[in-house]
Amino acid sequence: MYKVFFNESLLTFSNQPNPEAKNVLFQNEAQFDESFHLLSTKTVTLVNIFSEDIEAVWTKFLKYYKHIQAAGGIVRNPQDDYLFIFRLGKWDLPKGKMEKGESKEESAIREIEEECSLTNLELKRFLMPTFHIYFMKEYIIKETFWFEVFYDGIELPLPQTEEGIETVEWKKESEIPQLLQNSYPNIKLLLNNYLNLE
């Protein structure tokens, strides 16, 4: 199953109907627009597009809209604290758009360095991608590649204020569920998977 967040709503792609969702049997690409129209008008908060060949549908979906890629990380230190940024009134994780010719790994490290002023970061492993879509003259799919990153240093993290980041803070694992109450759905999905919070 694939999940694409749209504000607080969710579009899923699966090979069977979901009893909790507004289900759409895939026939053509126009149904992508129809699904987002339903979600944008808040008629429903969960739409499930289903097909026997959901991989083919997913490929069509990624080609149908403008598709940009980003990378970021869950950064941990030796005290098992986690690095969070606060931007636009919500708690988030450091991430940003990949630059041309950059690998996912290079992009994740560069973005964390730029947004948090930390160096000596060690990439541990790839975790998962998340997808969300937003509207800026057209629908744009943002695919973010997430990595587990380790930081062992004494630098004080500093926010990249020109990117709208107000603060960068190390947080204890016990604080994360409360932070997630004021975060984004894809960050909740990522951290719930990583920390087995659910």
Side-chain angles (χ1 to χ4, degrees):
M1 180 194 284
Y2 295 98
K3 295 181 177 182
V4 180
F5 292 101
F6 179 60
N7 299 325
E8 297 296 314
S9 301
L10 180 61
L11 174 65
T12 59
F13 292 80
S14 66
N15 51 19
Q16 58 194 30
N18 175 351
E20 294 174 6
K22 162 79 175 166
N23 288 288
V24 177
L25 174 62
F26 182 78
Q27 290 166 325
N28 58 64
E29 282 97 331
Q31 292 171 306
F32 301 147
D33 289 328
E34 291 164 16
S35 297
F36 284 117
H37 179 70
L38 283 171
L39 293 171
S40 67
T41 56
K42 299 202 169 46
T43 311
V44 292
T45 56
L46 174 57
V47 173
N48 177 54
I49 293 176
F50 69 101
S51 165
E52 285 182 5
D53 189 359
I54 204 62
E55 295 299 330
V57 175
W58 178 248
T59 301
K60 286 179 181 173
F61 175 75
L62 291 181
K63 288 179 179 169
Y64 187 72
Y65 296 112
K66 183 176 178 181
H67 180 201
I68 62 170
Q69 294 181 316
I74 295 178
V75 186
R76 206 160 43 88
N77 67 17
Q79 292 76 44
D80 273 340
D81 299 323
Y82 293 84
L83 192 66
F84 279 83
I85 64 172
F86 191 76
R87 171 167 46 191
L88 300 173
K90 288 188 184 284
W91 290 103
D92 202 348
L93 295 173
K95 64 175 183 312
K97 222 156 98 172
M98 288 169 62
E99 292 181 354
K100 197 169 179 171
E102 211 174 32
S103 71
K104 302 176 184 73
E105 293 80 2
E106 289 166 340
S107 180
I109 293 294
R110 178 185 54 75
E111 284 292 341
I112 296 164
E113 287 178 347
E114 288 177 0
E115 293 195 344
C116 306
S117 292
L118 295 180
T119 57
N120 197 28
L121 296 159
E122 184 188 348
L123 212 64
K124 288 291 191 185
R125 64 190 168 109
F126 176 67
L127 296 172
M128 64 184 287
T130 58
F131 298 87
H132 75 273
I133 197 161
Y134 57 95
F135 191 81
M136 197 178 281
K137 296 183 183 167
E138 61 180 324
Y139 283 118
I140 299 169
I141 303 168
K142 188 172 184 181
E143 177 179 15
T144 305
F145 302 100
W146 294 101
F147 293 86
E148 180 181 44
V149 180
F150 192 69
Y151 173 73
D152 190 2
I154 56 168
E155 297 163 307
L156 185 69
L158 298 169
Q160 187 183 19
T161 50
E162 60 268 30
E163 285 292 320
I165 302 170
E166 294 173 44
T167 183
V168 181
E169 295 178 28
W170 291 105
K171 297 289 188 181
K172 297 283 178 206
E173 186 175 332
S174 59
E175 298 176 86
I176 292 175
Q178 188 173 359
L179 299 182
L180 291 182
Q181 290 176 21
N182 183 29
S183 188
Y184 298 98
N186 55 346
I187 299 297
K188 294 174 190 174
L189 174 70
L190 173 69
L191 281 162
N192 286 339
N193 277 1
Y194 182 75
L195 298 170
N196 297 314
L197 292 177
E198 292 190 332

